[in-house]
Amino acid sequence: LAKTTQPISMDSYEGQEVNITCSHNNIATNDYITWYQQFPSQGPRFIIQGYKTKVTNEVASLFIPADRKSSTLSLPRVSLSDTAVYYCLVAISSGSARQLTFGSGTQLTVLP
Amino acid sequence: DVKVTQSSRYLVKRTGEKVFLECVQDMDHENMFWYRQDPGLGLRLIYFSYDVKMKEKGDIPEGYSVSREKKERFSLILESASTNQTSMYLCASSSSYLLGGDTDTQYFGPGTRLTVL
C-alpha cells in the first residue's frame, strides 16, 4: 500500500494561490492521483485527477514532479467558500486492479 | 449528474445489533465502494465490488460484510455492531474498476454517521 502524507492544516487569504502537497511512494508512471474537496456533513467531491506532469481544469491544477514522490494541488485564487478539507487519493496499479489509498486530509481555511 | 444516495444520514444502534447501510447509485456504474472516515485517519476502504455478486476486501474488512444483489445497490452489513465501529460511512461508485482515465473517478454519497452505544 502507498503511504500518503498531507499537511494537517493550512491558512490562506482570499485571492491568493494555494498549493497543497501530498507526499507518497511507490508511484509508477501510470498511477493516478486524484484530489477531492469535502465540506462538513457532505461526501468528498471530485476536483481533479491525472497521472501526467501537469493537469489543469477550470478550478485547479495538479502537478506531479518527475520523481513522482509527491503531487501538488494548486487552487489559483481562493475564496472563503474554498474553506474545506482536501484529500489526495493515490491509485496504484496492482495486477488488473488498483489499490486505493487516501491521505488523511488537509484543512484549508481561507481568511478574509 | 451522478447521484449516489445513502439510506440514512444519521443512525444510532446498540452494541451487538445487526446494522445495514444501504447505498444506491443511478449511473449504471460497475464499481461500488464502502469507506469509513475517522478524524485524523482520512478515508479507509472497507470493501468494494466490481460487479453484481462480486466483492473484494479493502484495507479494513474485519467486522463487516457486503452484499451486491443488483448493480445499483451496495449494502454494508455490521453483523454485530461494536462501539469501535462508530464512524462516518461513505459509499462511492465509479464506472471503471481500474479508475484513472481522464474522466473516470469515484462519486461519493453524503455519508451515514453511525453511532454505536
Side-chain angles (χ1 to χ4, degrees):
Chain A
L1 281 180
K3 180 176 169 56
T4 59
T5 305
Q6 300 178 233
I8 294 174
S9 63
M10 296 180 69
D11 289 344
S12 181
Y13 291 95
E14 280 191 291
Q16 288 189 332
E17 178 185 76
V18 170
N19 296 307
I20 305 175
T21 297
C22 174
S23 299
H24 40 70
N25 53 14
N26 302 325
I27 299 297
T29 53
N30 62 344
D31 288 336
Y32 276 80
I33 305 295
T34 309
W35 284 88
Y36 292 88
Q37 176 192 57
Q38 187 177 28
F39 297 110
S41 301
Q42 295 185 22
R45 186 170 68 101
F46 172 82
I47 301 174
I48 195 167
Q49 175 174 283
Y51 67 94
K52 298 178 181 178
T53 304
K54 180 180 177 182
V55 179
T56 298
N57 63 19
E58 61 275 10
V59 298
S61 294
L62 169 62
F63 299 96
I64 303 175
D67 67 7
R68 301 183 70 76
K69 291 183 178 180
S70 65
S71 66
T72 298
L73 169 71
S74 181
L75 304 172
R77 285 174 301 280
V78 295
S79 63
L80 297 177
S81 62
D82 292 319
T83 293
V85 179
Y86 292 82
Y87 290 95
C88 65
L89 168 65
V90 176
I92 296 175
S93 298
S94 177
S96 60
R98 289 190 188 269
Q99 292 183 341
L100 309 177
T101 304
F102 274 90
S104 54
T106 298
Q107 171 67 57
L108 172 66
T109 302
V110 180
L111 305 168
Chain B
D1 275 353
V2 175
K3 194 164 185 181
V4 180
T5 57
Q6 296 184 228
S7 51
S8 304
R9 294 300 303 272
Y10 300 93
L11 210 52
V12 179
K13 295 291 182 182
R14 296 202 175 276
T15 300
E17 281 193 76
K18 189 169 186 175
V19 181
F20 293 87
L21 302 182
E22 303 284 338
C23 175
V24 178
Q25 50 94 3
D26 67 357
M27 282 300 293
D28 201 36
H29 281 169
E30 302 291 333
N31 309 283
M32 298 187 74
F33 307 80
W34 275 107
Y35 293 89
R36 65 177 283 175
Q37 184 175 32
D38 300 289
L41 297 178
L43 284 80
R44 293 179 291 166
L45 182 63
I46 303 171
Y47 268 97
F48 65 96
S49 168
Y50 54 91
D51 201 352
V52 174
K53 296 190 185 296
M54 305 302 288
K55 61 185 179 184
E56 293 283 345
K57 293 180 180 179
D59 302 325
I60 52 166
E62 296 79 19
Y64 303 95
S65 62
V66 290
S67 172
R68 187 145 181 226
E69 297 297 318
K70 293 184 178 181
K71 192 174 185 180
E72 68 272 17
R73 189 180 298 269
F74 192 34
S75 302
L76 179 69
I77 303 157
L78 288 66
E79 295 288 344
S80 178
S82 63
T83 55
N84 63 12
Q85 292 178 309
T86 292
S87 185
M88 169 71 85
Y89 290 89
L90 289 160
C91 174
S93 73
S94 72
S95 58
S96 167
Y97 181 46
L98 296 180
L99 295 182
D102 291 337
T103 57
D104 179 44
T105 185
Q106 294 179 80
Y107 294 89
F108 283 86
T112 296
R113 186 165 294 281
L114 172 67
T115 301
V116 182
L117 302 175

